[in-house]
Protein backbone atom coordinates (compact mmCIF):
# COMPACT_ATOMS: atom_id res chain seq x y z
CA UNK A 1 0.00 0.00 0.00
CA UNK A 2 1.43 3.41 -1.02
CA UNK A 3 2.29 5.68 1.92
CA UNK A 4 1.11 9.29 1.77
CA UNK A 5 2.48 12.20 3.79
CA UNK A 6 0.56 15.47 3.99
CA UNK A 7 2.27 18.61 5.18
CA UNK A 8 1.89 22.36 5.28
CA UNK A 9 5.50 22.76 4.15
CA UNK A 10 7.54 20.33 2.08
CA UNK A 11 11.25 21.01 1.62
CA UNK A 12 13.34 19.31 -1.06
CA UNK A 13 17.01 19.17 -0.16
CA UNK A 14 18.91 19.08 3.13
CA UNK A 15 21.84 21.41 2.62
CA UNK A 16 22.18 24.78 4.43
CA UNK A 17 19.18 26.25 2.56
CA UNK A 18 16.84 23.33 3.19
CA UNK A 19 17.77 22.88 6.84
CA UNK A 20 17.57 26.62 7.59
CA UNK A 21 14.12 26.68 6.00
CA UNK A 22 13.21 23.67 8.14
CA UNK A 23 14.38 25.37 11.34
CA UNK A 24 12.38 28.52 10.67
CA UNK A 25 9.38 26.59 9.36
CA UNK A 26 9.27 24.30 12.37
CA UNK A 27 9.55 27.24 14.77
CA UNK A 28 6.55 28.77 12.98
CA UNK A 29 4.54 25.64 13.75
CA UNK A 30 4.41 24.40 10.14
CA UNK A 31 5.85 20.94 10.97
CA UNK A 32 7.90 20.77 7.75
CA UNK A 33 8.93 17.55 6.08
CA UNK A 34 12.43 17.55 4.56
CA UNK A 35 13.03 15.09 1.71
CA UNK A 36 16.79 14.74 1.90
CA UNK A 37 17.54 13.64 -1.65
CA UNK A 38 20.56 11.88 -3.12
CA UNK A 39 23.12 13.73 -0.98
CA UNK A 40 21.80 14.32 2.55
CA UNK A 41 23.51 17.40 3.92
CA UNK A 42 24.42 18.75 0.49
CA UNK A 43 27.86 19.71 -0.81
CA UNK A 44 29.24 20.49 2.65
CA UNK A 45 29.23 16.78 3.46
CA UNK A 46 32.10 16.36 0.97
CA UNK A 47 33.90 19.48 2.23
CA UNK A 48 36.51 19.04 4.94
CA UNK A 49 37.76 22.29 6.46
CA UNK A 50 35.22 25.11 6.71
CA UNK A 51 36.71 28.40 7.91
CA UNK A 52 34.22 30.99 6.62
CA UNK A 53 30.92 30.02 8.25
CA UNK A 54 30.04 32.67 10.87
CA UNK A 55 30.08 31.72 14.54
CA UNK A 56 33.10 29.45 14.70
CA UNK A 57 36.54 30.79 15.63
CA UNK A 58 38.32 27.55 14.74
CA UNK A 59 38.17 25.52 11.54
CA UNK A 60 35.17 23.18 11.51
CA UNK A 61 34.33 20.15 9.39
CA UNK A 62 31.61 20.37 6.75
CA UNK A 63 29.90 17.07 7.67
CA UNK A 64 29.84 18.08 11.35
CA UNK A 65 28.23 21.43 10.51
CA UNK A 66 25.46 19.71 8.56
CA UNK A 67 24.91 17.17 11.34
CA UNK A 68 24.42 20.06 13.76
CA UNK A 69 21.99 21.85 11.41
CA UNK A 70 19.96 18.67 10.97
CA UNK A 71 19.89 18.01 14.71
CA UNK A 72 18.71 21.57 15.32
CA UNK A 73 15.96 21.24 12.70
CA UNK A 74 14.76 17.95 14.18
CA UNK A 75 14.91 19.38 17.69
CA UNK A 76 12.42 22.12 16.82
CA UNK A 77 10.05 19.75 15.03
CA UNK A 78 11.13 19.18 11.42
CA UNK A 79 10.81 15.65 10.06
CA UNK A 80 13.61 14.18 7.92
CA UNK A 81 12.74 11.65 5.22
CA UNK A 82 15.33 9.64 3.32
CA UNK A 83 13.81 9.67 -0.15
CA UNK A 84 14.35 11.19 -3.59
CA UNK A 85 11.53 12.88 -5.51
CA UNK A 86 11.04 11.49 -9.01
CA UNK A 87 7.76 13.11 -10.08
CA UNK A 88 6.19 16.51 -9.39
CA UNK A 89 2.69 17.83 -10.04
CA UNK A 90 2.52 21.59 -9.51
CA UNK A 91 -0.67 22.10 -11.53
CA UNK A 92 -2.78 22.74 -8.43
CA UNK A 93 -2.55 23.12 -4.68
CA UNK A 94 -1.98 21.09 -2.67
CA UNK A 95 1.03 20.02 -4.71
CA UNK A 96 1.62 16.33 -5.23
CA UNK A 97 5.11 14.79 -5.37
CA UNK A 98 6.17 11.17 -5.63
CA UNK A 99 9.32 9.68 -4.16
CA UNK A 100 11.58 6.97 -5.49
CA UNK A 101 10.22 4.84 -2.64
CA UNK A 102 6.68 5.20 -4.04
CA UNK A 103 5.68 7.48 -1.16
CA UNK A 104 3.38 10.37 -2.14
CA UNK A 105 3.88 13.79 -0.57
CA UNK A 106 0.95 16.22 -0.55
CA UNK A 107 2.02 19.75 0.33
CA UNK A 108 0.34 23.13 0.80
CA UNK A 109 3.68 24.77 0.04
CA UNK A 110 6.93 23.62 -1.54
CA UNK A 111 10.46 24.90 -0.95
CA UNK A 112 13.01 23.73 -3.52
CA UNK A 113 16.54 23.59 -2.09
CA UNK A 114 18.02 20.89 -4.31
CA UNK A 115 21.29 22.78 -4.81
CA UNK A 116 23.85 22.66 -7.57
CA UNK A 117 26.92 20.57 -8.20
CA UNK A 118 30.24 21.78 -9.54
CA UNK A 119 31.15 20.36 -12.92
CA UNK A 120 34.36 18.35 -12.84
CA UNK A 121 36.84 17.47 -15.55
CA UNK A 122 36.88 13.74 -14.92
CA UNK A 123 40.68 13.71 -15.13
CA UNK A 124 42.80 11.13 -13.35
CA UNK A 125 43.47 11.99 -9.70
CA UNK A 126 40.75 14.65 -9.57
CA UNK A 127 38.39 12.78 -7.28
CA UNK A 128 41.18 11.31 -5.16
CA UNK A 129 42.68 14.75 -4.45
CA UNK A 130 39.45 16.68 -3.81
CA UNK A 131 39.96 18.46 -0.51
CA UNK A 132 43.69 17.72 -0.75
CA UNK A 133 44.59 20.46 -3.19
CA UNK A 134 41.82 20.12 -5.78
CA UNK A 135 38.79 22.36 -5.31
CA UNK A 136 35.89 23.85 -7.26
CA UNK A 137 35.51 27.00 -5.16
CA UNK A 138 38.23 29.63 -4.82
CA UNK A 139 36.09 31.76 -2.50
CA UNK A 140 35.68 28.77 -0.18
CA UNK A 141 39.23 27.42 -0.24
CA UNK A 142 41.57 30.09 -1.60
CA UNK A 143 42.51 31.20 1.92
CA UNK A 144 44.28 27.86 2.49
CA UNK A 145 46.77 28.65 -0.31
CA UNK A 146 48.25 31.87 1.00
CA UNK A 147 51.68 32.37 -0.53
CA UNK A 148 51.42 29.14 -2.54
CA UNK A 149 51.36 28.35 -6.24
CA UNK A 150 47.90 27.70 -7.67
CA UNK A 151 46.29 26.92 -11.02
CA UNK A 152 42.77 27.57 -12.28
CA UNK A 153 41.21 25.49 -15.07
CA UNK A 154 38.56 27.04 -17.33
CA UNK A 155 37.86 29.86 -19.76
CA UNK A 156 34.57 31.49 -18.80
CA UNK A 157 33.63 34.22 -16.36
CA UNK A 158 33.92 31.89 -13.37
CA UNK A 159 37.49 30.86 -14.20
CA UNK A 160 38.69 34.43 -14.78
CA UNK A 161 36.95 35.70 -11.64
CA UNK A 162 38.46 32.88 -9.56
CA UNK A 163 41.94 33.58 -10.93
CA UNK A 164 41.59 37.26 -10.04
CA UNK A 165 40.25 36.41 -6.59
CA UNK A 166 43.14 34.05 -5.88
CA UNK A 167 45.66 36.87 -6.34
CA UNK A 168 44.46 38.07 -2.92
CA UNK A 169 46.23 35.03 -1.48
CA UNK A 170 48.78 33.86 -4.05
CA UNK A 171 51.49 35.70 -5.99
CA UNK A 172 51.65 32.87 -8.55
CA UNK A 173 48.37 32.07 -10.33
CA UNK A 174 48.24 30.18 -13.64
CA UNK A 175 45.03 29.99 -15.67
CA UNK A 176 44.88 26.89 -17.89
CA UNK A 177 42.49 26.90 -20.85
CA UNK A 178 41.98 24.25 -23.51
CA UNK A 179 41.37 26.82 -26.26
CA UNK A 180 43.23 29.89 -27.54
CA UNK A 181 40.68 32.48 -26.36
CA UNK A 182 38.38 33.04 -23.40
CA UNK A 183 34.59 33.06 -23.32
CA UNK A 184 34.71 35.47 -20.38
CA UNK A 185 33.46 39.06 -20.62
CA UNK A 186 35.96 41.49 -22.12
CA UNK A 187 36.24 43.64 -19.02
CA UNK A 188 37.20 40.59 -16.95
CA UNK A 189 39.75 39.55 -19.57
CA UNK A 190 41.30 43.03 -19.47
CA UNK A 191 41.69 42.84 -15.70
CA UNK A 192 43.20 39.37 -15.98
CA UNK A 193 45.76 40.26 -18.66
CA UNK A 194 46.74 43.40 -16.75
CA UNK A 195 47.45 41.53 -13.52
CA UNK A 196 51.17 40.87 -12.95
CA UNK A 197 50.63 37.75 -10.85
CA UNK A 198 48.55 35.78 -13.37
CA UNK A 199 49.93 33.71 -16.24
CA UNK A 200 47.74 32.19 -18.95
CA UNK A 201 48.50 28.83 -20.55
CA UNK A 202 46.59 28.35 -23.81
CA UNK A 203 45.53 25.17 -25.64
CA UNK A 204 46.18 22.88 -22.69
CA UNK A 205 44.05 20.06 -21.33
CA UNK A 206 44.53 18.68 -17.83
CA UNK A 207 45.44 15.03 -18.22
CA UNK A 208 46.14 14.22 -14.57
CA UNK A 209 46.20 15.79 -11.12
CA UNK A 210 49.43 14.62 -9.52
CA UNK A 211 49.62 13.80 -5.83
CA UNK A 212 52.59 13.41 -3.55
CA UNK A 213 53.94 13.94 -0.07
CA UNK A 214 52.84 12.53 3.28
CA UNK A 215 50.01 13.10 3.88
CA UNK A 216 49.29 13.05 0.17
CA UNK A 217 48.30 16.31 -1.47
CA UNK A 218 48.41 17.94 -4.87
CA UNK A 219 51.90 18.67 -6.19
CA UNK A 220 51.10 19.51 -9.82
CA UNK A 221 49.10 18.89 -12.97
CA UNK A 222 50.04 16.99 -16.13
CA UNK A 223 48.93 18.73 -19.33
CA UNK A 224 48.44 17.78 -22.97
CA UNK A 225 48.64 20.40 -25.71
CA UNK A 226 45.32 20.30 -27.59
CA UNK A 227 47.06 21.36 -30.83
CA UNK A 228 50.38 19.49 -30.85
CA UNK A 229 49.67 16.68 -28.37
CA UNK A 230 52.85 17.53 -26.46
CA UNK A 231 52.89 16.63 -22.76
CA UNK A 232 54.00 19.04 -20.03
CA UNK A 233 53.80 19.48 -16.25
CA UNK A 234 53.08 22.45 -13.98
CA UNK A 235 53.91 22.33 -10.29
CA UNK A 236 51.07 23.54 -8.07
CA UNK A 237 49.92 23.38 -4.46
CA UNK A 238 46.30 24.04 -5.34
CA UNK A 239 44.11 23.52 -8.42
CA UNK A 240 40.69 25.11 -8.89
CA UNK A 241 38.34 23.58 -11.45
CA UNK A 242 36.15 26.44 -12.71
CA UNK A 243 34.10 25.08 -15.60
CA UNK A 244 30.67 25.84 -14.19
CA UNK A 245 27.94 24.39 -12.00
CA UNK A 246 24.91 22.26 -12.76
CA UNK A 247 21.80 23.06 -10.68
CA UNK A 248 19.63 20.09 -9.74
CA UNK A 249 16.47 21.26 -11.52
CA UNK A 250 15.75 18.46 -14.00
CA UNK A 251 12.50 17.64 -12.19
CA UNK A 252 11.16 21.13 -12.86
CA UNK A 253 12.00 21.45 -16.55
CA UNK A 254 8.96 22.88 -18.32
CA UNK A 255 7.20 23.45 -14.98
CA UNK A 256 9.07 26.47 -13.60
CA UNK A 257 10.92 29.30 -15.38
CA UNK A 258 14.70 28.93 -15.40
CA UNK A 259 17.81 30.75 -16.51
CA UNK A 260 20.60 28.42 -17.63
CA UNK A 261 19.05 25.74 -15.43
CA UNK A 262 18.75 27.93 -12.32
CA UNK A 263 15.24 28.52 -10.97
CA UNK A 264 14.03 32.09 -11.34
CA UNK A 265 12.59 33.84 -8.30
CA UNK A 266 10.96 37.23 -7.84
CA UNK A 267 13.64 39.78 -6.99
CA UNK A 268 14.22 40.14 -3.27
CA UNK A 269 12.15 37.04 -2.44
CA UNK A 270 12.22 33.28 -2.86
CA UNK A 271 8.89 33.18 -4.73
CA UNK A 272 8.81 31.33 -8.05
CA UNK A 273 6.24 31.84 -10.81
CA UNK A 274 3.84 29.39 -9.13
CA UNK A 275 2.17 30.68 -5.94
CA UNK A 276 3.14 28.44 -3.04
CA UNK A 277 6.38 27.23 -4.66
CA UNK A 278 9.62 28.77 -3.40
CA UNK A 279 13.30 28.24 -4.21
CA UNK A 280 16.37 28.90 -2.07
CA UNK A 281 20.11 28.35 -2.11
CA UNK A 282 22.36 27.27 -4.96
CA UNK A 283 19.42 26.02 -7.03
CA UNK A 284 18.57 29.66 -7.74
CA UNK A 285 21.94 31.36 -7.08
CA UNK A 286 24.52 31.32 -9.86
CA UNK A 287 26.59 34.15 -8.36
CA UNK A 288 27.44 33.63 -4.69
CA UNK A 289 27.04 29.89 -4.01
CA UNK A 290 28.13 30.03 -0.38
CA UNK A 291 26.81 28.04 2.58
CA UNK A 292 25.98 31.22 4.47
CA UNK A 293 24.04 32.78 1.58
CA UNK A 294 22.15 29.51 1.06
CA UNK A 295 21.26 29.43 4.76
CA UNK A 296 20.07 33.04 4.55
CA UNK A 297 17.86 32.22 1.58
CA UNK A 298 16.46 29.22 3.46
CA UNK A 299 15.38 31.61 6.22
CA UNK A 300 13.79 33.91 3.62
CA UNK A 301 11.93 30.97 2.07
CA UNK A 302 10.43 29.91 5.40
CA UNK A 303 9.26 33.46 6.12
CA UNK A 304 7.80 33.70 2.61
CA UNK A 305 6.01 30.37 3.14
CA UNK A 306 4.61 31.47 6.50
CA UNK A 307 3.21 34.68 4.96
CA UNK A 308 1.81 32.84 1.92
CA UNK A 309 0.01 30.21 4.02
CA UNK A 310 -1.41 32.82 6.41
CA UNK A 311 -2.85 34.76 3.47
CA UNK A 312 -4.19 31.58 1.84
CA UNK A 313 -5.87 30.53 5.11
CA UNK A 314 -7.45 33.96 5.49
CA UNK A 315 -8.81 33.85 1.93
CA UNK A 316 -10.20 30.36 2.46
CA UNK A 317 -12.00 31.48 5.62
CA UNK A 318 -13.36 34.57 3.88
CA UNK A 319 -14.76 32.42 1.08
CA UNK A 320 -16.74 30.19 3.43
Amino acid sequence: MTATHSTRMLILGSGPAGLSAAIYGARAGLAPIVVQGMQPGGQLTITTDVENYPGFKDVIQGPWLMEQMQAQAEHVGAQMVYDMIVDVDLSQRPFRLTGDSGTVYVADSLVICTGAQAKWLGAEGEQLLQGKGVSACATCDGFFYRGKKVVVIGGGNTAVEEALYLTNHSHDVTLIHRRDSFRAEKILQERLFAHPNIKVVWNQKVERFVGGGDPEGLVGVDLIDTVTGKASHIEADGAFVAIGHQPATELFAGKLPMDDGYLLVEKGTTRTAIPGVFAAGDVTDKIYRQAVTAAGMGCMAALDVEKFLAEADFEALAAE
Side-chain angles (χ1 to χ4, degrees):
M1 187 174 177
T2 302
T4 300
H5 292 298
S6 295
T7 180
R8 297 279 278 159
M9 180 182 186
L10 182 67
I11 301 168
L12 305 188
S14 52
L19 293 178
S20 295
I23 291 166
Y24 274 81
R27 287 173 58 85
L30 299 177
I33 292 176
V34 180
V35 180
Q36 296 192 289
M38 284 187 66
Q39 190 176 15
Q43 292 186 73
L44 276 180
T45 58
I46 57 170
T47 303
T48 50
D49 294 348
V50 176
E51 205 169 21
N52 57 3
Y53 197 87
F56 301 96
K57 176 175 65 71
D58 298 319
V59 176
I60 57 174
Q61 300 299 299
W64 176 84
L65 178 59
M66 299 320 300
E67 287 171 6
Q68 295 300 305
M69 281 194 192
Q70 178 173 330
Q72 184 179 3
E74 290 177 312
H75 177 71
V76 292
Q79 179 185 349
M80 302 293 151
V81 177
Y82 295 97
D83 203 352
M84 184 173 66
I85 299 300
V86 294
D87 188 58
V88 178
D89 182 358
L90 304 179
S91 61
Q92 60 181 0
R93 288 185 60 243
F95 308 116
R96 191 176 180 88
L97 298 87
T98 306
D100 184 56
S101 64
T103 301
V104 174
Y105 302 87
V106 179
D108 291 329
S109 66
L110 174 65
V111 182
I112 303 166
C113 304
T114 47
Q117 296 290 335
K119 294 179 182 176
W120 296 96
L121 296 169
E124 182 182 344
E126 182 179 53
Q127 189 171 354
L128 179 67
L129 292 169
Q130 283 180 28
K132 302 174 184 177
V134 176
S135 170
C137 181
T139 312
C140 311
D141 300 328
F143 185 75
F144 298 114
Y145 298 92
R146 288 166 292 173
K148 297 183 178 181
K149 182 178 173 63
V150 297
V151 299
V152 178
I153 301 104
N157 283 354
T158 299
V160 173
E161 287 170 347
E162 299 231 320
L164 288 165
Y165 172 80
L166 285 165
T167 60
N168 294 318
H169 305 293
S170 171
H171 62 280
D172 191 341
V173 179
T174 301
L175 182 53
I176 301 167
H177 187 37
R178 60 182 178 174
R179 298 190 176 92
D180 60 1
S181 62
F182 290 129
R183 301 185 310 278
E185 296 170 4
K186 291 298 181 184
I187 190 169
L188 290 174
Q189 294 190 44
E190 289 169 6
R191 292 175 191 164
L192 181 91
F193 294 136
H195 204 291
N197 295 338
I198 300 176
K199 298 189 294 290
V200 178
V201 178
W202 303 107
N203 297 320
Q204 298 292 325
K205 175 186 175 184
V206 175
E207 185 77 2
R208 182 166 73 105
F209 293 91
V210 183
D214 186 19
E216 186 178 24
L218 183 79
V219 297
V221 290
D222 289 342
L223 305 175
I224 296 290
D225 192 297
T226 57
V227 177
T228 67
K230 182 181 178 181
S232 62
H233 177 82
I234 294 180
E235 293 182 357
D237 302 297
F240 295 85
V241 179
I243 57 174
H245 284 72
Q246 183 64 47
T249 54
E250 299 89 346
L251 263 179
F252 305 99
K255 297 176 181 178
L256 287 168
M258 301 182 192
D259 175 22
D260 196 25
Y262 291 86
L263 293 176
L264 292 175
V265 293
E266 186 180 322
K267 189 173 181 179
T269 78
T270 60
R271 295 193 291 265
T272 70
I274 296 179
V277 179
F278 305 83
D282 287 9
V283 76
T284 186
D285 174 17
K286 64 166 65 175
I287 300 173
Y288 302 106
R289 295 193 297 259
Q290 300 297 303
V292 67
T293 53
M297 286 193 74
C299 163
M300 290 168 60
L303 296 176
D304 286 344
V305 165
E306 186 180 1
K307 181 180 179 182
F308 169 80
L309 291 176
E311 290 175 353
D313 290 347
F314 178 78
E315 290 172 3
L317 283 171
E320 289 181 357

